[in-house]
């Protein structure tokens, strides 16, 4: 165990998620509407790069899998130029693939074919007030 100051690790993950979905809008009254979104992707992909600077090791992975999204939105028209919108969204991504680990400490060690899983569960909420001039 120990401690170190400064940058010790960098990590970046990029998701690519083309999806098919259903969007529905329901006009409840003149001043209130609701929207629902459901989407699914059997083509989700993730690539990550994990640089352990202190250990001088980079791990890179490419994975594929699936993702789904569910969202609900409510909008209230206050006046002709004003509305308030509330939106909640859930996104779930699950992918698996292979990772390669390379050391840049002078040893030249490389390990390939390591099983990898990249997943993400995200919840977001939005509250928006809009006024048009």
């Amino acid at each position: 165990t120990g401690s170190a100051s400064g940058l010790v690790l960098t990590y970046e993950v990029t998701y690519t998620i083309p999806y098919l979905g259903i969007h529905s809008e329901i006009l409840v009254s003149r001043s209130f509407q609701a929207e629902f979104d459901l989407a699914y992707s059997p083509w989700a992909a993730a690539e990550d790069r994990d640089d352990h600077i202190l250990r001088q090791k980079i791990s890179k992975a490419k994975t594929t899998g699936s993702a789904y999204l569910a969202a609900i939105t409510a909008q209230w028209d206050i006046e002709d130029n004003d509305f308030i919108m509330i939106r909640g969204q859930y996104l779930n991504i699950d992918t698996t693939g292979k990772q390669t680990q390379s050391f840049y400490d002078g040893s030249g060690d490389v390990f390939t074919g390591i099983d990898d899983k990249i997943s993400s569960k995200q919840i977001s909420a939005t509250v928006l007030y809009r006024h048009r001039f």
Side-chain angles (χ1 to χ4, degrees):
T1 62
S3 65
S5 61
L7 186 63
V8 298
L9 175 83
T10 63
Y11 181 76
E12 181 178 337
V13 63
T14 302
Y15 295 102
T16 305
I17 309 171
Y19 61 86
L20 300 171
I22 296 171
H23 174 83
S24 178
E25 295 180 9
I26 300 169
L27 188 59
V28 179
S29 70
R30 279 188 69 217
S31 62
F32 178 75
Q33 73 179 31
E35 298 178 5
F36 304 93
D37 295 298
L38 292 173
Y40 176 73
S41 176
W43 311 288
E47 293 186 18
D48 75 345
R49 184 179 190 276
D50 186 0
D51 187 350
H52 290 251
I53 296 165
L54 291 179
R55 296 175 62 202
Q56 297 181 322
K57 179 180 87 165
I58 293 178
S59 301
K60 296 179 183 178
K62 291 187 178 185
T63 61
T64 58
S66 61
Y68 64 87
L69 173 142
I72 185 168
T73 304
Q75 179 177 311
W76 292 270
D77 295 329
I78 301 168
E79 293 181 12
D80 290 341
N81 295 337
D82 299 295
F83 76 79
I84 294 174
M85 181 192 77
I86 299 173
R87 178 178 173 86
Q89 179 175 299
Y90 177 76
L91 174 63
N92 183 311
I93 306 164
D94 284 309
T95 63
T96 58
K98 297 295 181 182
Q99 181 186 82
T100 298
Q101 298 178 354
S102 305
F103 286 84
Y104 55 92
D105 60 357
S107 69
D109 289 341
V110 176
F111 301 96
T112 61
I114 300 165
D115 289 338
D116 195 16
K117 177 179 175 139
I118 301 174
S119 60
S120 178
K121 291 174 180 38
Q122 303 173 22
I123 297 173
S124 64
T126 304
V127 177
L128 174 70
Y129 169 77
R130 182 177 79 180
H131 174 77
R132 285 191 208 176
F133 293 97

